[in-house]
Amino acid sequence: MTWEYFKRRLIFILWNGDSKLRFRNLRYLPRWIVLVFDVFLVSVSSIITYNIINLLTHQFYELLSIEWQIVLTVFVYSLSFLLLSTYSGVVRHSTFVDVAKIAIACLISTVVLAGISYLSYFSTGQKIFLVPFLIINVSITFISMLFFRLTVKMAYQSFSKVNRKRKNVLIFEVSDETIALAEAINGSNEDVFDLVGFISSKKKHTRVKILGKPIFRFDDQFYARINPLKVDAVILPAQVGNKAIQEKLIDFCLENTIKILSSPKIEAWEDTSIDLVSNIRQIQIEDLLDRHQIILDDTLIRKSLSGKNILVTGGAGSIGSEIVRQIAAFKPNKLIVFDQAESPLNEISLELIESYPKVDFQFVLGDIRNSKRVAEIFESNRISIVYHAAAYKHVPLIENNPKEAVDVNIMGTINIADLCVEHGVDRFVMISTDKAVNPTNVMGATKRAAELYVQSLKEIHSNRTDFITTRFGNVLGSNGSVIPHFKKLIEKGGPVTVTHKDIIRYFMTITEACQLVLQAGTMGNGGEIFVFDMGKPVKILNLAEKMIRLSGLEPYKDIEIEFTGLRPGEKLYEELLSNDSETLPTHNEKILIAKQKGYTYNYVLDHLNNVIIAGANDDNEMVVSCLKKLIPEFKSNNSIFESLDRQVR
C-alpha cells in the first residue's frame, strides 16, 4: 500500500456524496464524521493509556517523546481504519461484521506498532513502545470504539421510537421459521415493526419467553392478555401453523380491527438478497380463500411444450396472457399470441419480449370469427398445440346479446377446431367454464355447445387431433371479476353491491387456472373434460365483509352492503359437474375427468347450424331456443328467455 493510495482514499471519504452533514435530517452519520470520531477516540485512548502506565512506572523509552509516540500510534491506527473501512458501516445498524472489522483493525495496528518498535530496537538498540502500553491501548481503543457505536445505536432507537410510530406485532406460531422471522425483525434496517410476542395454537407458555418476548395461547382469554400491548398487527408466516386455528385468528383480527400481515414463503428465506422485513405485506383477500396449491409435473409439461409451435387464442386476455407467460418458460420453438384487442396485445408483447428474449414470439392481431385470417396462421406455421382462450364471458352482457356469443363462443371455436383437424394439430386445449354445467344463461350454454362440438370431433376418421376441455370457476383478479370490483367500490366509500345474500362461488387464482390448462394439455387421448377440485365454495357476502374489514373499515357502519337481486342468467350456486356426470381420477389428485354425455358429430353440427342461422337472422329467441334443444339441461334463470323453456318442453 502506498501513501498515494491512502491519500486518494482519504480524499474520497471527505468529498464523496455521503460527506454532507444534515442536522435537520440526520438519517445517518457521514463517513468522515465516523472516521474523525474513531481517530479522536484513539488519541484519547493513547493519553489515558499513558496516564495509566505513568502511575505504574515512570520509565519510558526515550527514542521518541510521549507526544510523538501518541502521534505515531494515531497515525498507524488511522491507516488501519482506512485499509479496513471501519467507518463505512451505518453506525446505527452496526453488526458483528462491523465489530469484527474494528477488532481486526485494532489488532493490526498493535502488531504494526510492535513491529516498528522492534525494528527500531534491532537498528538502534532502543525500543519505541512499552509492551504494556500497546496492550492497554488496544483494549481501551477497541472498547471505546465499540461503546461509541452502541451509544449511537441506542440513541437512534430511542429517537426513532419517539419520532416514528412502529407497529406492535405478534407472530403466529412458534417454530424455527417464525423465530428466524422474529430475529430478522429485531435486526432489520427497517424500523417498521416492534415485536411484542408470539401466538401459540397449542399449549400455554406462561413461563417461557423467546428472544425475550412472551408467548400467548390463542384461546378465550387471548384478547384480554394482549389488550395491554396495543397490538397493531399479526404476522402470518406463509406455510406455517394450524390452518383451522389460523382461520379463527384471521376472523378475530378482522373483528377487532387488527391488521393481518403475511411474510414471504419459507423458500425465499434462504435467499440472502431478499430483505424479509421489507417483504412483509398486508394480507390480500386472495390469501384468505381456502385454496390448495396445485403441484405440477413439470417434466411432462416441458416434454409436451419444448421445441413446439404453439398458438394461444385470446392471448392478451387475463387467462390467455398468463398461459402465454407460463408456456414461454418451457422454451417453445415459436409462440403465436392471437387476439383482437390491439392495446392489450401491444402491452403483452412489450412485456414478453423483455422477459423472454430468447423465445420466438409472433403477435397476431385478428378475430377468431374471421376464418380466413385464422387460416393464414395455420397455413404459415406448422402448429403443434392450440390453447383456445378467446371467448365472451360476462353473463349479463351476453344474456342481452346472444348472437354475439354465438359468433365468438361457438363459430369462433368451430373455426379454430376445424383448422386443427385440417392441419393435423397434435392437441387442442379449450378453456371452458363451470357455467357450462347445467347452464342457466346464454354464456354458459354457448360454452357448453362449444364443448359438445370439440368432443364430437373425436369420431371424425380424418381427425388425429386430441381435443381436450378444461373447466374451472371464477378466476381471482381477472378482468371484470368480483374482487377488483369490490375494491373499487370500497375505495369510493361504498356501497358494496351483492346480488343475493346466499350467492356462493368457487374461486381460483389465474396462476392455478393456467397451471390446470397446461397440465390437462399433457393428459388424455382426446374428448375428455377435465375439472378441478376447487375446494370450498365462497359466500360472496362473507367475501365482501372480509374485504371491507381488511380495508380497516366496518361493514354496515363505515361501508354499506346493498343487495341488488340476481342478474339476468345468474344462479345462486355454481356447479362443477352436471347431474348425470361421473368423475374419474388422474395422476394429479386435484384434476378429475368428467364423464359427461356427448353426442354424435352430425347431431351436434345439425343443431349448431340451426343456432348459427338464427343468429345470422338476428333472431335472439330462436338462437336461445335452438341452444335449449341441443342442451336439454339449459334452463334460463331470471331471464327474458325463461318462457322458452316451456315451449321447448
Side-chain angles (χ1 to χ4, degrees), residues 288-331:
L288 302 184
L289 301 177
D290 188 16
R291 303 291 312 119
H292 298 285
Q293 185 179 8
I294 302 176
I295 300 174
L296 288 178
D297 187 344
D298 283 358
T299 306
L300 289 175
I301 296 174
R302 189 174 301 279
K303 183 179 178 181
S304 174
L305 302 180
S306 180
K308 303 290 179 62
N309 292 352
I310 301 170
L311 168 66
V312 180
T313 69
S318 303
I319 296 293
S321 62
E322 180 60 24
I323 290 174
V324 170
R325 290 184 191 97
Q326 293 191 21
I327 292 173
F330 292 101
K331 299 179 181 178

Side-chain angles (χ1 to χ4, degrees), residues 265-276 279:
K265 291 184 178 179
I266 295 172
E267 306 90 71
W269 294 18
E270 297 176 359
D271 187 348
T272 55
S273 66
I274 295 177
D275 185 346
L276 294 179
N279 279 276

Side-chain angles (χ1 to χ4, degrees), residues 237-377:
Q239 304 171 340
V240 173
N242 182 305
K243 264 292 188 190
I245 300 294
Q246 184 171 299
E247 289 177 9
K248 292 180 180 178
L249 177 61
I250 288 169
D251 291 336
F252 168 85
C253 292
L254 291 175
E255 290 170 6
N256 292 279
T257 63
I258 296 173
K259 290 186 180 296
I260 309 166
L261 307 175
S262 66
S263 67
K265 291 184 178 179
I266 295 172
E267 306 90 71
W269 294 18
E270 297 176 359
D271 187 348
T272 55
S273 66
I274 295 177
D275 185 346
L276 294 179
V277 177
S278 63
N279 279 276
I280 294 174
R281 59 177 179 83
Q282 181 157 342
I283 203 165
Q284 302 298 306
I285 188 66
E286 292 88 345
D287 302 321
L288 302 184
L289 301 177
D290 188 16
R291 303 291 312 119
H292 298 285
Q293 185 179 8
I294 302 176
I295 300 174
L296 288 178
D297 187 344
D298 283 358
T299 306
L300 289 175
I301 296 174
R302 189 174 301 279
K303 183 179 178 181
S304 174
L305 302 180
S306 180
K308 303 290 179 62
N309 292 352
I310 301 170
L311 168 66
V312 180
T313 69
S318 303
I319 296 293
S321 62
E322 180 60 24
I323 290 174
V324 170
R325 290 184 191 97
Q326 293 191 21
I327 292 173
F330 292 101
K331 299 179 181 178
N333 181 60
K334 180 184 284 188
L335 186 46
I336 304 163
V337 185
F338 185 87
D339 206 290
Q340 66 164 338
E342 179 197 15
S343 293
L345 186 62
N346 180 62
E347 289 174 12
I348 193 67
S349 70
L350 296 174
E351 175 197 328
L352 292 170
I353 290 170
E354 181 181 355
S355 301
Y356 304 95
K358 295 182 179 180
V359 176
D360 182 8
F361 288 105
Q362 184 177 338
F363 300 94
V364 181
L365 187 63
D367 195 322
I368 58 172
R369 291 174 289 192
N370 186 339
S371 57
K372 183 179 178 181
R373 177 63 169 148
V374 179
E376 291 172 356
I377 300 172

Side-chain angles (χ1 to χ4, degrees), residues 99-147:
V99 175
K101 285 166 69 175
I102 295 170
I104 293 170
C106 291
L107 182 61
I108 289 174
S109 301
T110 304
V111 171
V112 170
L113 290 170
I116 292 172
S117 185
Y118 278 98
L119 281 175
S120 173
Y121 175 75
F122 291 129
S123 60
T124 65
Q126 294 186 65
K127 295 180 182 179
I128 297 175
F129 300 102
L130 291 170
V131 172
F133 176 89
L134 296 178
I135 295 173
I136 295 173
N137 186 57
V138 71
S139 303
I140 295 175
T141 300
F142 174 74
I143 292 170
S144 61
M145 291 177 68
L146 183 60
F147 181 75

Side-chain angles (χ1 to χ4, degrees), residues 491-508:
E491 287 170 2
K492 290 179 180 178
V496 173
T497 55
V498 178
T499 57
H500 194 284
K501 64 182 180 65
D502 295 323
I503 194 168
I504 62 172
R505 289 291 181 266
Y506 290 97
F507 285 98
M508 65 193 311

Side-chain angles (χ1 to χ4, degrees), residues 473-487:
N474 298 274
V475 178
L476 295 169
S478 64
N479 296 331
S481 62
V482 66
I483 289 179
H485 177 63
F486 281 174
K487 283 181 179 177

Side-chain angles (χ1 to χ4, degrees), residues 40-58:
F40 172 74
L41 290 172
V42 174
S43 305
V44 173
S45 300
S46 300
I47 294 171
I48 293 172
T49 303
Y50 167 74
N51 286 300
I52 292 173
I53 297 296
N54 196 39
L55 292 174
L56 300 175
T57 178
H58 296 288

